[in-house]
């Protein structure tokens, strides 16, 4: 299949599966435990029905205003650790794409490209995601570098208290420190394009954290990264980060309404409803199911972001009408890059943007911003679905 023939994000995922060594695809695609949490994110989105209204002749506007700027597309690239393993240069490609298309790109603390390089590639679009370190000096320096390179939105992720249980990674022996075994050698031989590109690029390293690890091989930096995460993070720590960071602060990984309220109390400018793509706790609600109560708890004005299983424009519509101001996805974009490098990332973006435009046109809704619950088909209210 060629990129131009990929008609859905799952087509791109199928292409990625063929192009990537198994341990890499599984790292991207997999989730916690039996992966029911991953599946639930998508299934619960699909279960929601929409209520079109015809004869309105709309020309939909996809734009949204958030954190002091206008975004052309309300869909951003969520942070991914070890992204350079998925495809060399994946982060730079997606950061450039985000800049060109007017959407956010979020660089992870566990990223494989320096903060400064991402900020230069996406001066208006780059955000930085922090896994708070147990060493204050590291947090301060990361925030300083992000701010000085022009980044204005900081995302603090709370839902990685400890790494998730990912059986696929364990079976593939893909754990840090990484020790490639025989099975992986066979895998590499099966995927010459990935292997060659990775070999040429020199293999990924944790470039964001490397300056603090005191040199050493990438695998020891990986171990360093694992040791660094502050496992006893509290809301007081979030408040301290709030005081340090002059820009917008978003708290990521929220499902419970009370936690969203706590985030706002700690000074967050936005809350990101997420279950980490089903990679942390398996038995949690789908993000889409957690979203309405979070919106109700924080009121209409606090910016809400949401991710988890969004794979189409219709999914994006559903997230908006249940309370999200902007949505994010990690896998959709990284499947794209894995399927075809920068052009594959662009294909993912085109599929999502075109489908969002098409969905709003079909619904008869004039803009993404105007989507509310009146566009929801309520099967329990048969006969009461009149607008
Ligand atoms: C391979 C991979 C690595 C990830 N690494 C991070 C990370 O470093 N920081 C973070 O906050 N979230 C991380 N996430 C979670 C994503 O940012 C996002 O919340 C989730 O994947 C959204 O679900 P989706 O992939 O189904 O769209 C990662 C997700 C994946 C798939």
């Amino acid at each position: 299949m060629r990129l131009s023939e990929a008609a859905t994000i799952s087509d791109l995922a199928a292409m990625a599966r063929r192009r990537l060594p198994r341990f890499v695809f599984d790292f991207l695609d997999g989730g916690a435990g039996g992966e029911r949490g991953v599946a639930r994110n998508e299934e619960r989105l699909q279960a929601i029905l929409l209520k079109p209204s015809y004869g309105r002749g709309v020309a939909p506007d996809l734009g949204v205003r958030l954190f002091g700027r206008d975004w052309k597309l309300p869909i951003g690239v969520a942070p991914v650790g070890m992204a350079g393993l998925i495809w060399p240069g994946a982060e730079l490609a997606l950061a450039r794409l985000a800049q060109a298309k007017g959407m956010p790109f979020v660089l992870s603390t566990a990223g494989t490209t320096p903060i400064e390089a991402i900020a230069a590639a996406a001066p208006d679009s780059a955000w930085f995601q922090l896994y708070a370190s147990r060493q204050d000096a590291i947090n301060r320096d990361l925030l300083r570098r992000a701010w000085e390179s022009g980044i204005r939105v900081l995302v603090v992720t709370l839902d990685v208290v400890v790494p998730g249980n990912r059986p696929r990674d364990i079976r593939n022996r893909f754990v840090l420190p990484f020790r490639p075994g025989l099975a992986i050698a066979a895998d590499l031989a099966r995927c010459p394009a990935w292997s060659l590109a990775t070999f040429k690029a020199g293999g990924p390293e944790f470039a964001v954290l490397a300056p603090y690890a005191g040199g050493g091989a990438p695998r020891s930096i990986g171990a360093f990264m694992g040791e660094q995460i502050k496992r006893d993070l509290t809301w007081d720590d979030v408040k301290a980060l709030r005081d340090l960071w002059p820009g917008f602060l978003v708290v990521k990984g929220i499902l419970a309404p009370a936690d969203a309220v706590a985030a706002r109390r700690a000074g967050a400018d936005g809350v990101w409803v997420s279950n980490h793509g089903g990679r942390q706790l398996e038995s949690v609600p789908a993000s889409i199911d957690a979203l309405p109560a979070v919106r109700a708890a924080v009121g209409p004005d606090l910016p809400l972001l949401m991710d988890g299983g969004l794979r189409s424009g219709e999914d994006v519509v559903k997230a908006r009408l249940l309370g999200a101001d902007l949505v994010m996805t990690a896998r959709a974009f990284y499947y794209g890059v894995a399927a075809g490098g920068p052009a594959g990332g662009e294909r993912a973006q085109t599929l999502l943007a075109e489908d969002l435009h098409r969905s709003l046109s079909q619904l008869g809704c004039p803009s993404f911003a105007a989507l509310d619950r009146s566009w929801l088909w309520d099967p329990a209210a048969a006969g009461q679905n009149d607008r």
Side-chain angles (χ1 to χ4, degrees):
M1 188 188 277
R2 289 200 211 111
L3 273 181
S4 58
E5 292 163 358
T8 60
I9 298 298
S10 57
D11 287 345
L12 291 173
M15 291 173 75
R17 186 190 287 273
R18 286 193 290 275
R19 287 231 307 173
L20 294 183
R22 183 172 174 160
F23 76 98
V24 179
F25 181 77
D26 281 349
F27 164 64
L28 171 61
D29 190 61
E35 302 190 351
R36 289 175 196 84
V38 180
R40 192 177 302 115
N41 274 343
E42 294 190 29
E43 284 163 11
R44 296 296 301 161
L45 276 161
Q46 285 158 12
I48 296 169
L49 301 181
L50 300 172
K51 186 167 56 179
S53 179
Y54 297 112
R56 294 181 166 221
V58 293
D61 172 8
L62 308 189
V64 59
R65 187 162 181 83
L66 189 71
F67 302 143
R69 68 156 284 189
D70 292 317
W71 304 92
K72 284 192 198 138
L73 191 68
I75 306 171
V77 184
V80 160
M82 231 7 192
L85 180 76
I86 296 164
W87 202 264
E91 288 153 325
L92 270 178
L94 290 173
R96 288 188 186 116
L97 178 72
Q99 176 71 20
K101 303 292 181 183
M103 47 190 256
F105 169 86
V106 192
L107 175 70
S108 165
T109 301
T112 50
T113 309
I115 298 177
E116 293 76 7
I118 292 294
D124 306 306
S125 284
W127 299 4
F128 179 64
Q129 175 261 322
L130 182 74
Y131 280 135
S133 166
R134 57 185 68 193
Q135 294 185 52
D136 250 7
I138 295 183
N139 294 327
R140 280 175 192 275
D141 200 55
L142 286 170
L143 265 48
R144 178 193 62 77
R145 285 170 58 200
W147 181 259
E148 286 179 2
S149 51
I151 289 175
R152 292 295 174 261
V153 183
L154 175 71
V155 175
V156 179
T157 297
L158 294 197
D159 61 4
V160 182
V161 182
V162 292
N165 171 35
R166 317 248 172 86
R168 288 203 229 180
D169 292 349
I170 296 168
R171 286 184 206 116
N172 293 333
R173 295 173 191 269
F174 181 54
V175 284
L176 293 170
F178 181 47
R179 289 193 189 85
L182 264 187
I184 280 172
D187 222 3
L188 299 187
R190 189 181 59 81
C191 305
W194 181 91
S195 301
L196 198 67
T198 300
F199 180 73
K200 262 198 205 150
E205 62 168 270
F206 289 112
V208 175
L209 280 182
Y212 312 106
R219 71 165 58 141
S220 64
I221 294 174
F224 169 78
M225 154 99 220
E227 290 154 18
Q228 276 312 304
I229 289 194
K230 187 167 167 53
R231 297 181 178 202
D232 55 355
L233 192 85
T234 65
W235 287 112
D236 285 339
D237 297 313
V238 176
K239 273 189 206 127
L241 291 168
R242 163 72 292 173
D243 292 342
L244 270 178
W245 178 250
F248 298 98
L249 186 138
V250 176
V251 173
K252 176 173 185 276
I254 297 293
L255 293 171
D259 286 354
V261 171
R264 189 180 55 188
R265 208 177 300 127
D269 301 295
V271 164
W272 185 329
V273 175
S274 173
N275 57 25
H276 215 97
R279 296 166 74 83
Q280 288 301 107
L281 268 176
E282 181 183 5
S283 305
V284 286
S287 303
I288 193 71
D289 286 333
L291 181 61
V294 170
R295 172 50 82 202
V298 298
D301 297 329
L302 189 79
L304 280 190
L305 295 91
M306 180 266 187
D307 70 20
L310 297 153
R311 302 290 179 264
S312 71
E314 291 193 18
D315 290 344
V316 176
V317 162
K318 292 169 187 179
R320 168 68 193 151
L321 58 81
L322 290 176
D325 294 294
L326 187 140
V327 306
M328 295 272 181
T329 167
R331 293 191 185 89
F333 287 110
Y334 283 90
Y335 288 142
V337 184
E346 191 163 351
R347 183 73 190 148
Q349 194 274 344
T350 302
L351 288 175
L352 291 171
E354 285 184 358
D355 197 41
L356 178 58
H357 192 274
R358 182 169 42 238
S359 303
L360 287 169
S361 306
Q362 304 261 39
L363 279 174
C365 183
S367 69
F368 175 77
L371 283 166
D372 61 20
R373 279 171 173 271
S374 69
W375 303 92
L376 202 57
W377 187 277
D378 181 358
Q384 292 171 35
N385 279 304
D386 297 334
R387 194 159 272 113

